[in-house]
């Protein structure tokens, strides 16, 4: 995958097999334990993972679930958000943020984003109506939205804040962990996220014990014990196997983040003289680089050029959510959210996974400089 010969070099966007090789002994031992015990659902590892995440994030309650999307859906259900309610969110996220709002029967209201791709607090304030129940900022790329002004708007209008932290586990803003600033924080353990399971996984965090208890009921049919159901729920428990995998990977997470940050620093350094717009780093933030997204008017050309040089890049995300066919009923035409729309044609995600070598990044940067030369 990462050949030393520059003419045949191939640099992949992700490298999950390398991650497995690094953790093979631990993973296989844990998987064998689950099969020996047969505690596939509700095993001890689930509660242990919740305790370990509680300690890592410094938040009183963590409820594991079977996806990040379910974390968003159940967070809103726990807040009684449903038909007739509006939730403000950016149009440039992964589709799950908006889809979860639609899934609970509420109406997504978009607020445009800033040059740095995160939601614009001024646009959020302008979008508040008497029906607004919550703001759902997305910490896109692992860099947190501007939470201080967003929390001030939420306090002023008495709104809940649901942080979509799916891309930002371990990121901080003004000394606080992603997901722990708002009313609830929602995380994904999807295999392509920085803290990744071997399948679907997610969790929701909160300082509010009542919300956590309600989500625990909702994830297990609404049961309050073995036989009594007080409200209709669903099934969204985290499998014990996935909990075991996430426990192992939570221990490795600081090293994963460190290696990604090192890669980002090298990109910044070696691409400083190019016309690429790179994500800014404010003093008050610690970015975990789920993705490294640059912006350029020549995006399509650059992507093709890099592909020919063996460098795989991706686009997060090529179609803004309000322009998706599924969003037609919301009635937003082209030009409704000009910043997000412009960025959709300019953004390009470079490989940044923790298995890239200094030589790999140097090679990519050399190719980018060659493109602009
Ligand atoms: C991945 C992701 C989700 C959904 O997480 P799943 O675990 O795949 O359901 C939600 N929001 C954002 C921003 C994401 O990147």
């Amino acid at each position: 995958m990462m050949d030393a010969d520059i003419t045949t070099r191939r640099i992949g966007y992700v490298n999950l097999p390398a991650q497995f090789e690094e953790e093979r002994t631990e993973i296989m031992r844990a998987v064998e334990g689950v099969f020996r015990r047969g505690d596939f659902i509700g095993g001890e590892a689930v509660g242990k993972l919740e305790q370990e995440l509680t300690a890592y994030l410094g938040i009183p309650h963590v409820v594991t679930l079977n996806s990040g999307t379910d974390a968003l859906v159940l967070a809103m259900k726990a807040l009684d958000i449903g038909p007739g309610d509006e939730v403000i969110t950016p149009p440039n996220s992964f589709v799950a943020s908006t889809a979860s709002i639609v899934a609970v029967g509420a109406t997504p209201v978009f607020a445009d984003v800033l040059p740095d791709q995160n939601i614009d607090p001024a646009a959020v304030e302008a979008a508040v109506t008497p029906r607004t129940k919550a703001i759902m900022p997305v910490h896109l790329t692992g860099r947190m939205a501007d939470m201080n002004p967003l929390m001030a708007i939420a306090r002023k209008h008495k709104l809940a804040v649901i942080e979509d932290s799916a891309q930002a586990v371990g990121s901080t803003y003004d000394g606080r962990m992603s997901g722990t600033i708002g009313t609830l924080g929602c995380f994904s353990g999807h295999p392509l996220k920085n803290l990744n399971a071997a399948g679907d996984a997610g969790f929701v965090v909160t300082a509010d014990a009542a919300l956590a208890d309600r989500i625990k009921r909702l994830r297990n049919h609404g049961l309050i014990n073995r036989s009594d159901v007080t409200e209709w729920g669903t099934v969204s428990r985290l499998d014990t196997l996935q909990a075991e995998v996430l426990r192992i990977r939570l221990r490795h997470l600081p090293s994963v983040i460190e290696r990604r940050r090192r890669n980002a620093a090298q990109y910044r350094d070696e691409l400083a003289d190019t016309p690429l717009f790179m994500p800014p780093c404010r003093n008050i933030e610690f970015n975990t680089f789920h993705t490294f997204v640059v912006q350029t008017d020549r995006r399509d050309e650059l992507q093709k050029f890099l592909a020919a040089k063996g460098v795989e890049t991706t686009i997060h995300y090529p179609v803004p959510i309000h322009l998706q066919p599924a969003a037609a009923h919301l009635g937003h035409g082209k030009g409704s959210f000009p910043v997000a729309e412009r960025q959709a044609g300019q953004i390009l995600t470079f490989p940044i996974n923790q298995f890239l070598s200094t030589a790999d990044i140097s090679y990519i940067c050399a190719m980018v400089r060659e493109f602009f030369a």
Side-chain angles (χ1 to χ4, degrees):
M1 202 165 199
M2 278 158 250
D3 206 296
D5 178 356
I6 237 170
T7 56
T8 60
R9 192 182 281 266
R10 301 220 50 88
I11 300 177
Y13 175 68
V14 287
N15 196 347
L16 295 178
Q19 188 181 23
F20 178 58
E21 287 313 319
E22 211 174 65
E23 302 164 339
R24 175 191 284 273
T25 315
E26 290 169 285
I27 299 263
M28 294 321 286
R29 195 188 303 129
V31 168
E32 192 174 337
V34 175
F35 274 85
R36 278 181 195 276
R37 293 188 303 274
D39 59 350
F40 296 105
I41 289 176
E44 238 177 43
V46 177
K48 283 187 180 158
L49 173 66
E50 288 176 346
Q51 281 164 20
E52 288 156 5
L53 284 168
T54 294
Y56 177 70
L57 296 170
I59 183 103
H61 307 285
V62 174
V63 185
T64 53
L65 300 167
N66 72 16
S67 72
T69 303
D70 273 3
L72 294 165
V73 168
L74 295 183
M76 284 182 281
K77 289 207 163 169
L79 289 166
D80 286 316
I81 293 174
D85 299 330
E86 296 177 350
V87 178
I88 302 172
T89 196
N92 66 342
S93 180
F94 179 57
V95 69
S97 324
T98 299
S100 65
I101 298 168
V102 176
V104 299
T107 304
V109 172
F110 297 113
D112 209 350
V113 297
L114 293 164
D116 73 356
Q117 288 196 276
N118 274 330
I119 198 165
D120 178 354
V124 169
E125 174 114 62
V128 173
T129 76
R131 291 144 87 93
T132 308
K133 276 284 189 70
I135 306 169
M136 183 191 287
V138 178
H139 305 312
L140 207 66
T141 77
R143 183 169 170 281
M144 288 177 67
D146 204 0
M147 290 304 290
N148 286 340
L150 291 172
M151 293 306 293
I153 295 163
R155 275 190 299 274
K156 180 171 155 197
H157 299 279
K158 298 193 167 38
L159 307 174
V161 174
I162 300 158
E163 291 178 67
D164 184 340
S165 291
Q167 301 189 1
V169 63
S171 301
T172 71
Y173 169 99
D174 209 2
R176 299 176 71 184
M177 278 276 189
S178 144
T180 70
I181 302 175
T183 320
L184 296 135
C186 302
F187 293 84
S188 167
H190 184 282
L192 297 183
K193 302 290 157 79
N194 284 7
L195 173 62
N196 54 343
D200 280 312
F203 53 97
V204 56
V205 311
T206 182
D208 185 323
L211 288 177
D213 280 349
R214 189 158 181 207
I215 295 170
K216 278 185 188 162
R217 282 199 302 278
L218 291 170
R219 77 174 168 183
N220 192 32
H221 310 289
L223 283 160
I224 52 166
N225 51 42
R226 283 188 67 88
S227 48
D228 298 306
V229 174
T230 50
E231 66 175 319
W232 304 120
T234 184
V235 178
S236 184
R237 302 167 299 225
L238 182 71
D239 292 338
T240 309
L241 273 172
Q242 300 303 352
E244 291 283 17
V245 171
L246 287 174
R247 290 187 68 205
I248 292 163
R249 292 185 170 168
L250 181 59
R251 292 198 286 274
H252 295 295
L253 182 60
S255 142
V256 169
I257 291 172
E258 202 35 57
R259 288 184 277 168
R260 284 175 173 263
R261 284 172 56 82
R262 191 194 59 206
N263 290 345
Q266 192 185 344
Y267 271 130
R268 278 180 177 292
D269 189 38
E270 296 190 19
L271 294 176
D273 294 335
T274 68
L276 287 179
F277 175 88
M278 288 185 280
C281 286
R282 289 170 297 208
N283 290 335
I284 59 164
E285 66 195 20
F286 177 87
N287 302 333
T288 51
F289 295 99
H290 168 60
T291 52
F292 189 85
V293 178
V294 300
Q295 297 178 37
T296 168
D297 290 337
R298 298 175 63 195
R299 191 267 312 278
D300 292 341
E301 278 173 86
L302 176 60
Q303 183 171 37
K304 248 189 233 131
F305 182 86
L306 290 176
K309 302 291 184 185
V311 178
E312 186 188 4
T313 58
T314 52
I315 300 169
H316 297 94
Y317 300 92
V319 183
I321 299 169
H322 66 282
L323 298 179
Q324 290 285 357
H329 66 104
L330 297 169
H332 302 298
K334 268 206 172 131
S336 310
F337 303 98
V339 183
E341 288 170 35
R342 189 170 61 247
Q343 286 172 353
Q346 298 180 329
I347 47 179
L348 189 62
T349 308
F350 286 176
I352 192 159
N353 73 71
Q354 63 268 30
F355 300 101
L356 297 175
S357 64
T358 309
D360 292 325
I361 308 265
S362 281
Y363 171 77
I364 297 169
C365 294
M367 293 305 112
V368 173
R369 287 197 307 269
E370 189 180 312
F371 173 78
F372 282 111

